[in-house]
Every structure is written in structure tokens, then in C-alpha cells.
């Protein structure tokens, strides 16, 4: 992780990080971006996991979208996230792309980001100054803009397990199943004895 961070910092704005590369390679083919260097994190050990520990779901930077979708823990305890991931039509994208890569694109059309914000997720960021944790709702500064500083990249997403009283739903507006969403909506409500105690 430190080596990747040092490389990213040394190249500055001329470097891009690559894991799955679904969005990055498409943008490079269209000449929207022309980085001098790609810093691959594919072989960094310990970043490919989807697991629950200490009452929260943890997803590593190399976990594919498909591995999140197939996780029994996600299906059973985090159904809102499962709905969002399952709504992505392309199996190729789900097998190749990483969940964290999808978040870091910082596009308004991210199905996954909407669900994770509703679930009060946080991202763990590694960089030259060490690690820091940021709520996902504070991670985005605008379209394709995040709080990431030179040399930083997201290593993990952490999602607190919803309470038994919490219920969620995810919907998106599309023209057809393969389309990018025009509108995403994710909601998580916590209702106890008929009273709404929290809404995200």
C-alpha cells in the first residue's frame, strides 16, 4: 500500500490508479484522460475481501462487484446494498469492476454509492500521511471529484450492520436494463413500535 501511495504521489495528477479499470480504460480509449502512469494495485495482498467483523461489513479495494453480490452476508444482512449491486445489468462489469472503483469514479449514476450513503458507510483512505476514515457522504465534492489528495487511494469500505428494525429499498429510473441510471433512490428507515426513529 505504501509503495502504491508513493508512486501515486510522485506522478501527481499524471497518474491513475487501476484495479478493475472498467471506467478508466474506457475513458482512456476516448482520450478523455491521458495519464503518464497507471499504478496497479491488483497484486497488493490483503485487499480482496468481503467479510463481516465487529458488527460491520468490510469490503476491500480489490473485491469485485460480483463478489459483493454473491456474498451471503450481504444478501442476508445488507439487502439494500444487495439490491443496488444486483441492479447492475452487465455481468462483465460486475466480474471485472471493483465496488470501490465504482465509488471512486464519483459519478451521479452510481447505484452503489446511493445505497452505501443510505447505509451510513465510511471509506478508509491510505496515503503518505497514513490512514484516515471518511463518511461516504463527505467523500464526494462534485462530479468526478472526491476528497482524495495526491498519493491517496481508498483501501476499504465499512458499512455498519443495520438494526433489525431498519428496512431499506433501492430503485432507479432507466430506459432499459443496460442503461446508466437517470435517477437513483436508496432509502433506509428505522421504525420502532410504529415510530420512525431514523431516515436516510
Amino acid at each position: 500500500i505504501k509503495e502504491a501511495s508513493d508512486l501515486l504521489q510522485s506522478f501527481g495528477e499524471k497518474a491513475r490508479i487501476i484495479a478493475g479499470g472498467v471506467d478508466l480504460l474506457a475513458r482512456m480509449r476516448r482520450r478523455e484522460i491521458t495519464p503518464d502512469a497507471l499504478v496497479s494495485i491488483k497484486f497488493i495482498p490483503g485487499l480482496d475481501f468481503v467479510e463481516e467483523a465487529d458488527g460491520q461489513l468490510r469490503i476491500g479495494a480489490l473485491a469485485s462487484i460480483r463478489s459483493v453480490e454473491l456474498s451471503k452476508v450481504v444478501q442476508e444482512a445488507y439487502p439494500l446494498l444487495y439490491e443496488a449491486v444486483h441492479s447492475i445489468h452487465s455481468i462483465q462489469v460486475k466480474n471485472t469492476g471493483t465496488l470501490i472503483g465504482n465509488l471512486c469514479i464519483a459519478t451521479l449514476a452510481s447505484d452503489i454509492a446511493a445505497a452505501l450513503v443510505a447505509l451510513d458507510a465510511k471509506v478508509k483512505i491510505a496515503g503518505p500521511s497514513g490512514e484516515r476514515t471518511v463518511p461516504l457522504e463527505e467523500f464526494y465534492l462534485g462530479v468526478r471529484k472526491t476528497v482524495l489528495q495526491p498519493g491517496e487511494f481508498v483501501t476499504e469500505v465499512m458499512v455498519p450492520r443495520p438494526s433489525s428494525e431498519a428496512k431499506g429499498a433501492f430503485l432507479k429510473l432507466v430506459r432499459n436494463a443496460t442503461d446508466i441510471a437517470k435517477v437513483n433512490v436508496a432509502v433506509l428507515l428505522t421504525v420502532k413500535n410504529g415510530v420512525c426513529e431514523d431516515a436516510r
Side-chain angles (χ1 to χ4, degrees):
I1 289 174
K2 185 181 184 309
E3 184 181 4
S5 175
D6 290 345
L7 284 167
L8 286 169
Q9 188 174 36
S10 66
F11 281 96
E13 292 295 318
K14 292 293 187 178
R16 291 290 187 276
I17 195 163
I18 184 168
V22 173
D23 180 74
L24 175 65
L25 296 177
R27 292 182 69 203
M28 287 174 65
R29 275 195 294 273
R30 294 191 300 267
R31 309 297 289 174
E32 291 175 13
I33 53 172
T34 54
D36 289 347
L38 295 180
V39 178
S40 174
I41 63 168
K42 287 184 181 183
F43 301 108
I44 297 177
L47 292 181
D48 188 0
F49 57 86
V50 181
E51 62 189 26
E52 192 175 45
D54 301 322
Q56 64 179 356
L57 178 68
R58 298 175 59 236
I59 302 169
L62 293 178
S64 71
I65 297 169
R66 184 72 169 150
S67 68
V68 175
E69 180 182 31
L70 295 176
S71 164
K72 293 298 181 191
V73 170
V74 172
Q75 292 173 11
E76 292 168 8
Y78 304 84
L80 175 56
L81 175 59
Y82 173 77
E83 284 182 41
V85 170
H86 188 66
S87 77
I88 298 171
H89 184 73
S90 170
I91 292 295
Q92 292 90 338
V93 166
K94 288 194 273 196
N95 279 331
T96 306
T98 63
L99 180 132
I100 287 179
N102 181 276
L103 295 179
C104 291
I105 295 167
T107 172
L108 299 172
S110 173
D111 307 329
I112 297 170
L116 287 176
V117 167
L119 286 164
D120 198 22
K122 294 177 175 60
V123 293
K124 185 182 287 184
I125 298 169
S129 302
E131 289 184 339
R132 62 188 177 116
T133 301
V134 176
L136 187 60
E137 61 190 293
E138 296 174 16
F139 180 68
Y140 299 109
L141 301 177
V143 178
R144 297 204 182 272
K145 295 178 183 174
T146 69
V147 298
L148 291 174
Q149 299 296 312
E152 290 187 327
F153 65 102
V154 177
T155 58
E156 185 178 329
V157 172
M158 298 162 291
V159 190
R161 179 186 265 256
S163 72
S164 58
E165 293 89 0
K167 303 294 182 222
F170 173 83
L171 293 169
K172 66 180 179 180
L173 177 64
V174 291
R175 288 178 299 181
N176 57 59
T178 59
D179 235 3
I180 291 174
K182 306 301 176 208
V183 178
N184 284 318
V185 178
V187 177
L188 189 72
L189 295 177
T190 303
V191 179
K192 290 184 181 178
N193 300 319
V195 177
C196 181
E197 294 197 345
D198 188 46
R200 293 184 59 83

Short mmCIF file of all heavy atoms in Angstrom, two decimals, residues 90-146:
data_model
loop_
_atom_site.label_atom_id
_atom_site.label_comp_id
_atom_site.label_asym_id
_atom_site.label_seq_id
_atom_site.Cartn_x
_atom_site.Cartn_y
_atom_site.Cartn_z
N SER A 90 -24.85 -5.64 -16.34
CA SER A 90 -23.75 -6.30 -17.03
C SER A 90 -22.94 -7.22 -16.11
O SER A 90 -22.29 -6.76 -15.17
CB SER A 90 -22.81 -5.26 -17.65
OG SER A 90 -21.64 -5.87 -18.13
N ILE A 91 -22.96 -8.51 -16.41
CA ILE A 91 -22.15 -9.47 -15.65
C ILE A 91 -20.66 -9.18 -15.88
O ILE A 91 -19.84 -9.32 -14.98
CB ILE A 91 -22.49 -10.92 -16.07
CG1 ILE A 91 -23.90 -11.28 -15.63
CG2 ILE A 91 -21.49 -11.90 -15.49
CD1 ILE A 91 -24.10 -11.32 -14.13
N GLN A 92 -20.30 -8.75 -17.10
CA GLN A 92 -18.90 -8.44 -17.38
C GLN A 92 -18.39 -7.31 -16.48
O GLN A 92 -17.30 -7.38 -15.94
CB GLN A 92 -18.71 -8.04 -18.86
CG GLN A 92 -18.94 -9.18 -19.83
CD GLN A 92 -20.39 -9.27 -20.30
OE1 GLN A 92 -21.30 -8.78 -19.64
NE2 GLN A 92 -20.60 -9.90 -21.44
N VAL A 93 -19.21 -6.28 -16.33
CA VAL A 93 -18.84 -5.16 -15.46
C VAL A 93 -18.72 -5.64 -14.03
O VAL A 93 -17.77 -5.29 -13.31
CB VAL A 93 -19.86 -4.01 -15.58
CG1 VAL A 93 -19.69 -3.00 -14.45
CG2 VAL A 93 -19.72 -3.31 -16.93
N LYS A 94 -19.66 -6.46 -13.58
CA LYS A 94 -19.64 -6.93 -12.19
C LYS A 94 -18.44 -7.84 -11.92
O LYS A 94 -17.88 -7.82 -10.83
CB LYS A 94 -20.94 -7.63 -11.85
CG LYS A 94 -22.11 -6.68 -11.71
CD LYS A 94 -23.31 -7.30 -11.06
CE LYS A 94 -24.21 -8.00 -12.01
NZ LYS A 94 -25.56 -8.28 -11.44
N ASN A 95 -18.05 -8.64 -12.90
CA ASN A 95 -16.91 -9.54 -12.71
C ASN A 95 -15.58 -8.80 -12.78
O ASN A 95 -14.62 -9.17 -12.10
CB ASN A 95 -16.91 -10.65 -13.77
CG ASN A 95 -17.86 -11.77 -13.41
OD1 ASN A 95 -18.10 -12.04 -12.24
ND2 ASN A 95 -18.41 -12.43 -14.42
N THR A 96 -15.50 -7.77 -13.60
CA THR A 96 -14.24 -7.04 -13.80
C THR A 96 -14.09 -5.88 -12.84
O THR A 96 -13.02 -5.67 -12.27
CB THR A 96 -14.16 -6.51 -15.26
OG1 THR A 96 -14.35 -7.59 -16.16
CG2 THR A 96 -12.82 -5.86 -15.52
N GLY A 97 -15.16 -5.12 -12.66
CA GLY A 97 -15.08 -3.91 -11.86
C GLY A 97 -15.08 -4.19 -10.37
O GLY A 97 -15.64 -5.18 -9.90
N THR A 98 -14.46 -3.28 -9.62
CA THR A 98 -14.46 -3.39 -8.17
C THR A 98 -15.49 -2.44 -7.58
O THR A 98 -15.80 -1.40 -8.17
CB THR A 98 -13.08 -3.04 -7.59
OG1 THR A 98 -12.76 -1.68 -7.89
CG2 THR A 98 -11.99 -3.96 -8.14
N LEU A 99 -16.02 -2.81 -6.43
CA LEU A 99 -17.01 -1.95 -5.78
C LEU A 99 -16.39 -0.60 -5.43
O LEU A 99 -16.99 0.45 -5.67
CB LEU A 99 -17.56 -2.64 -4.53
CG LEU A 99 -18.60 -1.81 -3.77
CD1 LEU A 99 -19.82 -2.64 -3.45
CD2 LEU A 99 -18.02 -1.22 -2.51
N ILE A 100 -15.19 -0.60 -4.91
CA ILE A 100 -14.55 0.66 -4.53
C ILE A 100 -14.20 1.49 -5.76
O ILE A 100 -14.32 2.71 -5.75
CB ILE A 100 -13.33 0.40 -3.62
CG1 ILE A 100 -13.83 -0.03 -2.25
CG2 ILE A 100 -12.43 1.62 -3.53
CD1 ILE A 100 -12.77 -0.36 -1.23
N GLY A 101 -13.81 0.84 -6.84
CA GLY A 101 -13.57 1.57 -8.08
C GLY A 101 -14.82 2.29 -8.55
O GLY A 101 -14.77 3.44 -8.98
N ASN A 102 -15.96 1.60 -8.43
CA ASN A 102 -17.24 2.21 -8.80
C ASN A 102 -17.50 3.46 -7.96
O ASN A 102 -17.98 4.47 -8.47
CB ASN A 102 -18.36 1.19 -8.63
CG ASN A 102 -19.71 1.73 -9.02
OD1 ASN A 102 -20.38 2.37 -8.21
ND2 ASN A 102 -20.14 1.47 -10.25
N LEU A 103 -17.18 3.40 -6.67
CA LEU A 103 -17.39 4.56 -5.80
C LEU A 103 -16.46 5.71 -6.18
O LEU A 103 -16.85 6.87 -6.16
CB LEU A 103 -17.15 4.17 -4.34
CG LEU A 103 -18.10 3.17 -3.70
CD1 LEU A 103 -17.68 2.89 -2.27
CD2 LEU A 103 -19.53 3.67 -3.77
N CYS A 104 -15.22 5.37 -6.49
CA CYS A 104 -14.20 6.41 -6.72
C CYS A 104 -14.34 7.12 -8.06
O CYS A 104 -13.72 8.17 -8.27
CB CYS A 104 -12.81 5.81 -6.57
SG CYS A 104 -12.43 5.34 -4.87
N ILE A 105 -15.14 6.57 -8.96
CA ILE A 105 -15.42 7.27 -10.22
C ILE A 105 -16.11 8.60 -9.92
O ILE A 105 -15.95 9.58 -10.63
CB ILE A 105 -16.29 6.40 -11.15
CG1 ILE A 105 -15.54 5.16 -11.59
CG2 ILE A 105 -16.74 7.20 -12.37
CD1 ILE A 105 -16.42 4.11 -12.24
N ALA A 106 -16.89 8.61 -8.85
CA ALA A 106 -17.62 9.81 -8.41
C ALA A 106 -18.58 10.30 -9.49
O ALA A 106 -18.57 11.47 -9.88
CB ALA A 106 -16.66 10.92 -7.99
N THR A 107 -19.42 9.39 -9.95
CA THR A 107 -20.45 9.76 -10.92
C THR A 107 -21.81 9.73 -10.24
O THR A 107 -22.06 8.92 -9.35
CB THR A 107 -20.45 8.80 -12.13
OG1 THR A 107 -21.59 9.09 -12.95
CG2 THR A 107 -20.55 7.35 -11.71
N LEU A 108 -22.67 10.61 -10.68
CA LEU A 108 -24.02 10.68 -10.13
C LEU A 108 -24.82 9.43 -10.42
O LEU A 108 -25.82 9.17 -9.76
CB LEU A 108 -24.75 11.90 -10.70
CG LEU A 108 -24.12 13.26 -10.40
CD1 LEU A 108 -24.83 14.34 -11.18
CD2 LEU A 108 -24.16 13.56 -8.93
N ALA A 109 -24.39 8.64 -11.40
CA ALA A 109 -25.16 7.47 -11.82
C ALA A 109 -24.79 6.21 -11.02
O ALA A 109 -25.29 5.14 -11.33
CB ALA A 109 -24.93 7.21 -13.31
N SER A 110 -23.95 6.32 -10.00
CA SER A 110 -23.53 5.13 -9.25
C SER A 110 -24.68 4.58 -8.40
O SER A 110 -25.11 5.21 -7.44
CB SER A 110 -22.34 5.46 -8.35
OG SER A 110 -22.05 4.35 -7.52
N ASP A 111 -25.13 3.39 -8.77
CA ASP A 111 -26.16 2.71 -7.98
C ASP A 111 -25.62 2.41 -6.59
O ASP A 111 -26.32 2.54 -5.58
CB ASP A 111 -26.56 1.39 -8.65
CG ASP A 111 -26.97 1.57 -10.10
OD1 ASP A 111 -27.50 2.64 -10.44
OD2 ASP A 111 -26.74 0.65 -10.89
N ILE A 112 -24.37 1.97 -6.54
CA ILE A 112 -23.77 1.51 -5.30
C ILE A 112 -23.60 2.65 -4.30
O ILE A 112 -23.86 2.50 -3.11
CB ILE A 112 -22.42 0.82 -5.59
CG1 ILE A 112 -22.66 -0.42 -6.47
CG2 ILE A 112 -21.71 0.45 -4.31
CD1 ILE A 112 -21.40 -1.04 -7.03
N ALA A 113 -23.16 3.82 -4.77
CA ALA A 113 -22.94 4.95 -3.86
C ALA A 113 -24.22 5.36 -3.15
O ALA A 113 -24.21 5.63 -1.95
CB ALA A 113 -22.35 6.14 -4.63
N ALA A 114 -25.33 5.40 -3.88
CA ALA A 114 -26.60 5.80 -3.27
C ALA A 114 -26.97 4.87 -2.12
O ALA A 114 -27.34 5.30 -1.03
CB ALA A 114 -27.71 5.81 -4.32
N ALA A 115 -26.83 3.57 -2.35
CA ALA A 115 -27.17 2.60 -1.32
C ALA A 115 -26.23 2.71 -0.12
O ALA A 115 -26.67 2.65 1.03
CB ALA A 115 -27.13 1.18 -1.90
N LEU A 116 -24.95 2.87 -0.38
CA LEU A 116 -23.98 2.93 0.72
C LEU A 116 -24.10 4.21 1.53
O LEU A 116 -23.85 4.20 2.74
CB LEU A 116 -22.56 2.75 0.19
CG LEU A 116 -22.20 1.32 -0.25
CD1 LEU A 116 -20.81 1.28 -0.86
CD2 LEU A 116 -22.30 0.35 0.92
N VAL A 117 -24.48 5.31 0.90
CA VAL A 117 -24.72 6.53 1.67
C VAL A 117 -25.92 6.32 2.60
O VAL A 117 -25.89 6.69 3.77
CB VAL A 117 -24.94 7.75 0.74
CG1 VAL A 117 -25.51 8.94 1.52
CG2 VAL A 117 -23.61 8.15 0.08
N ALA A 118 -26.97 5.69 2.07
CA ALA A 118 -28.14 5.41 2.91
C ALA A 118 -27.77 4.50 4.08
O ALA A 118 -28.33 4.62 5.17
CB ALA A 118 -29.26 4.79 2.07
N LEU A 119 -26.80 3.62 3.87
CA LEU A 119 -26.37 2.69 4.90
C LEU A 119 -25.30 3.28 5.83
O LEU A 119 -24.78 2.58 6.69
CB LEU A 119 -25.83 1.40 4.26
CG LEU A 119 -26.90 0.48 3.66
CD1 LEU A 119 -26.26 -0.53 2.71
CD2 LEU A 119 -27.68 -0.23 4.76
N ASP A 120 -24.98 4.55 5.66
CA ASP A 120 -24.03 5.25 6.52
C ASP A 120 -22.62 4.65 6.44
O ASP A 120 -21.92 4.52 7.44
CB ASP A 120 -24.53 5.25 7.97
CG ASP A 120 -23.84 6.31 8.83
OD1 ASP A 120 -23.32 7.29 8.25
OD2 ASP A 120 -23.80 6.15 10.06
N ALA A 121 -22.20 4.31 5.23
CA ALA A 121 -20.89 3.70 5.03
C ALA A 121 -19.77 4.73 5.19
O ALA A 121 -19.97 5.94 5.01
CB ALA A 121 -20.82 3.08 3.63
N LYS A 122 -18.59 4.20 5.49
CA LYS A 122 -17.38 5.02 5.56
C LYS A 122 -16.31 4.38 4.68
O LYS A 122 -16.33 3.17 4.45
CB LYS A 122 -16.87 5.10 7.01
CG LYS A 122 -17.80 5.83 7.96
CD LYS A 122 -17.26 5.79 9.38
CE LYS A 122 -18.12 6.63 10.33
NZ LYS A 122 -19.49 6.17 10.39
N VAL A 123 -15.39 5.20 4.19
CA VAL A 123 -14.27 4.69 3.41
C VAL A 123 -12.97 4.89 4.18
O VAL A 123 -12.79 5.91 4.84
CB VAL A 123 -14.18 5.34 2.01
CG1 VAL A 123 -15.35 4.94 1.15
CG2 VAL A 123 -14.08 6.86 2.10
N LYS A 124 -12.10 3.89 4.08
CA LYS A 124 -10.77 4.01 4.67
C LYS A 124 -9.81 4.41 3.56
O LYS A 124 -9.77 3.76 2.50
CB LYS A 124 -10.33 2.70 5.31
CG LYS A 124 -9.00 2.79 6.04
CD LYS A 124 -8.57 1.45 6.62
CE LYS A 124 -9.41 1.10 7.83
NZ LYS A 124 -8.94 -0.16 8.47
N ILE A 125 -9.06 5.47 3.79
CA ILE A 125 -8.16 6.03 2.78
C ILE A 125 -6.73 5.90 3.27
O ILE A 125 -6.41 6.27 4.40
CB ILE A 125 -8.50 7.51 2.52
CG1 ILE A 125 -9.93 7.65 1.98
CG2 ILE A 125 -7.49 8.14 1.58
CD1 ILE A 125 -10.44 9.07 1.93
N ALA A 126 -5.86 5.35 2.41
CA ALA A 126 -4.43 5.27 2.72
C ALA A 126 -3.69 6.30 1.90
O ALA A 126 -4.06 6.59 0.75
CB ALA A 126 -3.91 3.87 2.39
N GLY A 127 -2.63 6.86 2.49
CA GLY A 127 -1.85 7.86 1.78
C GLY A 127 -0.52 8.13 2.46
O GLY A 127 -0.16 7.45 3.42
N PRO A 128 0.19 9.13 1.97
CA PRO A 128 1.51 9.44 2.51
C PRO A 128 1.51 9.75 4.01
O PRO A 128 2.49 9.52 4.70
CB PRO A 128 1.94 10.67 1.71
CG PRO A 128 1.12 10.63 0.47
CD PRO A 128 -0.17 10.00 0.85
N SER A 129 0.39 10.26 4.51
CA SER A 129 0.31 10.62 5.93
C SER A 129 -0.30 9.52 6.79
O SER A 129 -0.63 9.74 7.95
CB SER A 129 -0.50 11.91 6.10
OG SER A 129 0.07 12.96 5.36
N GLY A 130 -0.49 8.34 6.21
CA GLY A 130 -1.11 7.24 6.95
C GLY A 130 -2.54 7.02 6.51
O GLY A 130 -2.90 7.32 5.37
N GLU A 131 -3.37 6.51 7.42
CA GLU A 131 -4.76 6.19 7.09
C GLU A 131 -5.71 7.20 7.72
O GLU A 131 -5.44 7.76 8.77
CB GLU A 131 -5.12 4.80 7.61
CG GLU A 131 -4.48 3.67 6.85
CD GLU A 131 -4.95 2.30 7.34
OE1 GLU A 131 -5.44 2.20 8.48
OE2 GLU A 131 -4.81 1.34 6.58
N ARG A 132 -6.83 7.40 7.04
CA ARG A 132 -7.92 8.19 7.61
C ARG A 132 -9.24 7.59 7.14
O ARG A 132 -9.30 6.90 6.13
CB ARG A 132 -7.81 9.67 7.21
CG ARG A 132 -7.92 9.96 5.71
CD ARG A 132 -7.61 11.43 5.42
NE ARG A 132 -7.64 11.73 3.99
CZ ARG A 132 -8.49 12.56 3.41
NH1 ARG A 132 -9.43 13.17 4.14
NH2 ARG A 132 -8.44 12.80 2.12
N THR A 133 -10.28 7.86 7.91
CA THR A 133 -11.61 7.35 7.60
C THR A 133 -12.55 8.51 7.37
O THR A 133 -12.56 9.48 8.13
CB THR A 133 -12.12 6.47 8.76
OG1 THR A 133 -11.20 5.40 8.96
CG2 THR A 133 -13.48 5.89 8.45
N VAL A 134 -13.34 8.42 6.30
CA VAL A 134 -14.24 9.50 5.90
C VAL A 134 -15.63 8.92 5.64
O VAL A 134 -15.76 7.91 4.93
CB VAL A 134 -13.72 10.19 4.61
CG1 VAL A 134 -14.69 11.25 4.11
CG2 VAL A 134 -12.34 10.79 4.82
N PRO A 135 -16.69 9.53 6.19
CA PRO A 135 -18.04 9.10 5.82
C PRO A 135 -18.24 9.24 4.31
O PRO A 135 -17.80 10.23 3.72
CB PRO A 135 -18.94 10.06 6.59
CG PRO A 135 -18.11 10.57 7.71
CD PRO A 135 -16.70 10.62 7.17
N LEU A 136 -18.89 8.26 3.70
CA LEU A 136 -19.05 8.30 2.24
C LEU A 136 -19.78 9.55 1.79
O LEU A 136 -19.47 10.11 0.75
CB LEU A 136 -19.78 7.04 1.76
CG LEU A 136 -19.87 6.88 0.24
CD1 LEU A 136 -18.48 6.80 -0.39
CD2 LEU A 136 -20.69 5.66 -0.12
N GLU A 137 -20.73 10.03 2.59
CA GLU A 137 -21.47 11.23 2.18
C GLU A 137 -20.59 12.48 2.17
O GLU A 137 -20.94 13.49 1.56
CB GLU A 137 -22.70 11.44 3.06
CG GLU A 137 -22.42 11.64 4.51
CD GLU A 137 -23.70 11.59 5.33
OE1 GLU A 137 -24.52 12.50 5.18
OE2 GLU A 137 -23.87 10.63 6.10
N GLU A 138 -19.41 12.42 2.81
CA GLU A 138 -18.46 13.54 2.78
C GLU A 138 -17.32 13.29 1.79
O GLU A 138 -16.46 14.16 1.59
CB GLU A 138 -17.88 13.78 4.18
CG GLU A 138 -18.93 14.20 5.19
CD GLU A 138 -18.37 14.27 6.60
OE1 GLU A 138 -17.12 14.29 6.75
OE2 GLU A 138 -19.17 14.32 7.56
N PHE A 139 -17.31 12.12 1.18
CA PHE A 139 -16.24 11.73 0.26
C PHE A 139 -16.33 12.47 -1.07
O PHE A 139 -15.33 12.77 -1.70
CB PHE A 139 -16.32 10.21 0.04
CG PHE A 139 -15.29 9.64 -0.89
CD1 PHE A 139 -13.95 9.61 -0.52
CD2 PHE A 139 -15.66 9.11 -2.12
CE1 PHE A 139 -13.00 9.06 -1.38
CE2 PHE A 139 -14.72 8.56 -2.97
CZ PHE A 139 -13.38 8.53 -2.60
N TYR A 140 -17.55 12.80 -1.48
CA TYR A 140 -17.76 13.43 -2.79
C TYR A 140 -17.80 14.94 -2.70
O TYR A 140 -18.46 15.50 -1.83
CB TYR A 140 -19.07 12.92 -3.41
CG TYR A 140 -19.05 11.43 -3.65
CD1 TYR A 140 -19.83 10.58 -2.88
CD2 TYR A 140 -18.22 10.89 -4.62
CE1 TYR A 140 -19.79 9.20 -3.09
CE2 TYR A 140 -18.18 9.52 -4.82
CZ TYR A 140 -18.96 8.69 -4.06
OH TYR A 140 -18.90 7.32 -4.26
N LEU A 141 -17.07 15.59 -3.61
CA LEU A 141 -17.06 17.05 -3.69
C LEU A 141 -17.80 17.56 -4.92
O LEU A 141 -18.08 18.74 -5.04
CB LEU A 141 -15.61 17.56 -3.72
CG LEU A 141 -14.74 17.18 -2.53
CD1 LEU A 141 -13.32 17.69 -2.72
CD2 LEU A 141 -15.33 17.71 -1.23
N GLY A 142 -18.10 16.66 -5.84
CA GLY A 142 -18.77 17.02 -7.08
C GLY A 142 -18.61 15.89 -8.07
O GLY A 142 -18.11 14.82 -7.74
N VAL A 143 -19.03 16.13 -9.31
CA VAL A 143 -18.91 15.10 -10.35
C VAL A 143 -17.43 14.83 -10.62
O VAL A 143 -16.66 15.75 -10.92
CB VAL A 143 -19.63 15.53 -11.64
CG1 VAL A 143 -19.46 14.47 -12.73
CG2 VAL A 143 -21.11 15.76 -11.37
N ARG A 144 -17.04 13.56 -10.46
CA ARG A 144 -15.65 13.11 -10.63
C ARG A 144 -14.67 13.82 -9.70
O ARG A 144 -13.48 13.93 -9.99
CB ARG A 144 -15.21 13.24 -12.09
CG ARG A 144 -16.03 12.36 -13.03
CD ARG A 144 -15.29 12.04 -14.30
NE ARG A 144 -16.08 11.24 -15.21
CZ ARG A 144 -16.13 9.90 -15.21
NH1 ARG A 144 -15.46 9.23 -14.32
NH2 ARG A 144 -16.87 9.26 -16.09
N LYS A 145 -15.18 14.31 -8.57
CA LYS A 145 -14.33 14.97 -7.58
C LYS A 145 -14.56 14.35 -6.21
O LYS A 145 -15.70 14.23 -5.76
CB LYS A 145 -14.62 16.48 -7.52
CG LYS A 145 -14.28 17.22 -8.80
CD LYS A 145 -14.65 18.68 -8.69
CE LYS A 145 -14.37 19.41 -10.00
NZ LYS A 145 -14.85 20.80 -9.96
N THR A 146 -13.46 13.99 -5.56
CA THR A 146 -13.53 13.41 -4.22
C THR A 146 -12.54 14.13 -3.30
O THR A 146 -11.80 15.00 -3.74
CB THR A 146 -13.18 11.90 -4.24
OG1 THR A 146 -11.79 11.75 -4.54
CG2 THR A 146 -14.03 11.15 -5.26
#
